[in-house]
Amino acid sequence: PMNLGAINLNLLVALEALLSERSVTRAARRLGVTQPAMSNSLAQLRALLNDPLFHRRAHGLEPTARALALSEPLQQGLRLLAGAFEPQRFEPSASLQSFVVEASDYVEFVLLPPLLQRLAAEAPGVRVEVRPWGLHEVPSSLGRGEADLMIGFYDEVPARHRQRILFEEEYVCVVRKGHPRVGRRLTLERYLELGHVLVSQRGDTPGSVDRALLRKGKRRHVAARVSHFLMVPMLVRRTDLVAALSRRVAEPFADALGLNLFEPPLSLPRGKIGQVWHERLDQDPAQAWFRGVVESVCHEL
């Protein structure tokens, strides 16, 4: 087989022009080169393919059988190659693409219903696969190309990753209605007397509340450490425990489960939820569109 690496692509473009124009002069004009340059290309093609390719006739160039056989595959190949270099396009309404997102149950609860509602309207063939990620850090799966996006809490972004903050979240304290030790107010003193529920997937790692208390020189009693945000309302409903919970999770459960919400009796930082992706996906049209949809939905929250 012929070594394609040894073929100058410009020669193939010249051959296609000669086949179309049947004239060295017109082919040269079409490609914006001189007539001697086009004649030189024809000479190189004849040597490369070991065929005269064209015979001069009164009406112009007459292609040989070899040249005619090359005509259609040459046109198709150059058309495919030209298409490969065109800017990529993404049509959401016709796409069947799947996007893999690493996220916690909190993000699923808050974001997934409005996100899927939006996708159903704008891109009904698009699928979203959410993989559980509860740690407050960026997963290595983005760097390995196993996931497209991480949405959630994080402190630092690794090298070669991009990020965008989506929205902020504030904490509220949750206890069951009829709690024997909590009335209309939740003081810091009473708060510290109660057992607490902490959401964490990392051993003894202190949470935001613990760090805020430490600055005051105080500690709390963590009676239960759970790995999922959505477990907290159910636990609080059946016990006398208290929990500091994201407002967007607590409020939907308050009436249904009979919970009372209180402003925290100490200053807690607002959590920042963002999306993180690897730089290799930064310019991908489909990925950019999906991140844009996520951001738009989050702004409506």
Side-chain angles (χ1 to χ4, degrees), residues 89-146:
R89 292 182 176 84
F90 178 71
E91 182 52 56
S93 62
S95 176
L96 300 176
Q97 187 155 337
S98 179
F99 296 92
V100 178
V101 179
E102 299 267 16
S104 68
D105 62 323
Y106 160 77
V107 172
E108 287 186 275
F109 180 77
V110 170
L111 180 60
L112 214 53
L115 176 62
L116 293 185
Q117 184 179 16
R118 174 76 70 84
L119 292 177
E122 295 183 12
V126 163
R127 295 188 302 117
V128 178
E129 177 185 342
V130 180
R131 296 178 181 172
W133 182 256
L135 300 181
H136 288 204
E137 61 189 54
V138 176
S140 58
S141 56
L142 299 181
R144 293 194 302 270
E146 296 169 0

Side-chain angles (χ1 to χ4, degrees), residues 36-68:
M38 181 58 71
S39 296
N40 182 51
S41 294
L42 178 55
Q44 291 183 61
L45 283 164
R46 283 168 168 162
L48 181 70
L49 298 173
N50 194 28
D51 188 273
L53 296 176
F54 297 94
H55 298 294
R56 295 187 185 277
R57 299 287 184 258
H59 59 274
L61 296 178
E62 181 181 317
T64 65
R66 177 88 163 103
L68 285 174

